[in-house]
Amino acid sequence: MPILRRELPSPSPVLVISLAEPLSLSRPSGDLSTSAVLVGVGRTATLAAHSGTQTVLEAQLSPLSALQLCGVPASDLTDRVVDLAELWDGAAEVVGRIGAAATWAERFHLLDSVLTARAQRGRDVDPVLAGAWQQLLSSRGNLSMSALHDQTGWSRKRLADRFREQVGLTPKSMARLVRFHRAVNLLHQPGHRSLTAIASTCGYYDQAHLNREFRELAGGPPGSYLTGMDADPAAAGMAGI
């Protein structure tokens, strides 16, 4: 019987390459079984099935990297898992070279070289948008939208449209994911603080607000996450990408 793991929504797209059995991933947009995927930014969790052991190489990417690395708007990847072969010519060769490498250091070096070369050949990121995203990230998701409007000089509609196209979601939705991802990371830390303290640190109104966000984005409250339980009975465990 396959083991199911729930990968939580993240503000970063993730490149995943399997060095053993094919990846079996599922999102509401569809299911996919292949050796290498790009998991797009989104507000939905990803279910990953495996036989009990996995050997994979994962790379967290900037949400602004879709145009540079794949030649497509980030909006084309939102809430999707996409076979890398659909995005990269020669993806199978890259996966094969990484799989054949003798050490993890060599694998990381190969992937870094491939990503660097593709970024250099790809489309440039809008510097205004890049600055707005960095400001949102630096604030850990606790930046007023008016501050982004002031920085970019764009209207609310243009800012939302540009973010959705090149980052994957609107600024408000991305700020929500950044806060949530920080809360998940704090929960993972040894001897983590109380849920009330985490809620305050991450910019939630109160613990009840934090609980609602976990129910919507993780499928259950923080307590269930901590004990490895899930509101979805099909999932045996949960882990943040």
Side-chain angles (χ1 to χ4, degrees):
M1 182 176 179
I3 295 175
L4 298 179
R5 187 178 68 179
R6 181 177 293 266
E7 305 284 7
L8 302 187
S10 167
S12 301
V14 181
L15 175 63
V16 188
I17 297 174
S18 176
L19 304 179
E21 65 184 69
L23 299 161
S24 182
L25 303 173
S26 177
R27 256 181 165 175
S29 57
D31 302 336
L32 185 64
S33 179
T34 187
S35 295
V37 300
L38 188 65
V39 182
V41 165
R43 291 160 291 194
T44 59
T46 304
L47 281 179
H50 59 89
S51 62
T53 58
Q54 277 188 308
T55 304
V56 300
L57 179 63
E58 290 190 3
Q60 285 194 347
L61 307 175
S62 165
L64 290 167
S65 64
L67 282 173
Q68 285 184 306
L69 299 179
C70 304
V72 300
S75 56
D76 287 1
L77 309 174
T78 300
D79 279 320
R80 296 180 60 204
V81 287
V82 183
D83 192 329
L84 194 62
E86 294 184 21
L87 301 170
W88 288 5
D89 293 334
E93 179 185 355
V94 171
V95 172
R97 288 171 58 203
I98 290 174
T103 66
W104 281 103
E106 186 178 349
R107 289 169 184 149
F108 287 125
H109 177 72
L110 282 169
L111 181 58
D112 184 63
S113 298
V114 170
L115 293 176
T116 299
R118 293 195 67 89
Q120 290 173 344
R121 297 195 305 267
R123 292 170 56 181
D124 292 335
V125 175
D126 184 331
V128 176
L129 189 64
W133 164 245
Q134 188 56 52
Q135 187 175 359
L136 182 62
L137 196 61
S138 297
S139 75
R140 297 176 174 176
N142 292 300
L143 182 70
S144 69
M145 294 302 103
S146 61
L148 286 181
H149 300 313
D150 292 342
Q151 176 181 326
T152 61
W154 295 340
S155 68
R156 289 181 179 273
K157 183 180 186 306
R158 186 180 182 192
L159 180 64
D161 288 346
R162 295 288 282 170
F163 252 77
R164 189 180 294 108
E165 177 190 12
Q166 292 197 30
V167 180
L169 293 169
T170 64
K172 187 174 182 179
S173 293
M174 288 302 295
R176 181 190 185 195
L177 282 184
V178 170
R179 288 193 300 270
F180 174 71
H181 198 59
R182 186 183 183 199
V184 170
N185 287 337
L186 288 176
L187 283 172
H188 276 290
Q189 291 182 3
H192 68 78
R193 290 166 286 182
S194 68
L195 294 178
T196 299
I198 289 176
S200 176
T201 298
C202 295
Y204 294 105
Y205 298 124
D206 49 29
Q207 186 180 332
H209 186 196
L210 175 67
N211 290 344
R212 288 195 300 273
E213 288 293 270
F214 263 80
R215 287 190 177 94
E216 290 188 27
L217 297 173
S224 294
Y225 177 79
L226 285 171
T227 57
M229 298 298 291
D230 192 341
D232 180 351
M238 304 193 324
I241 291 180

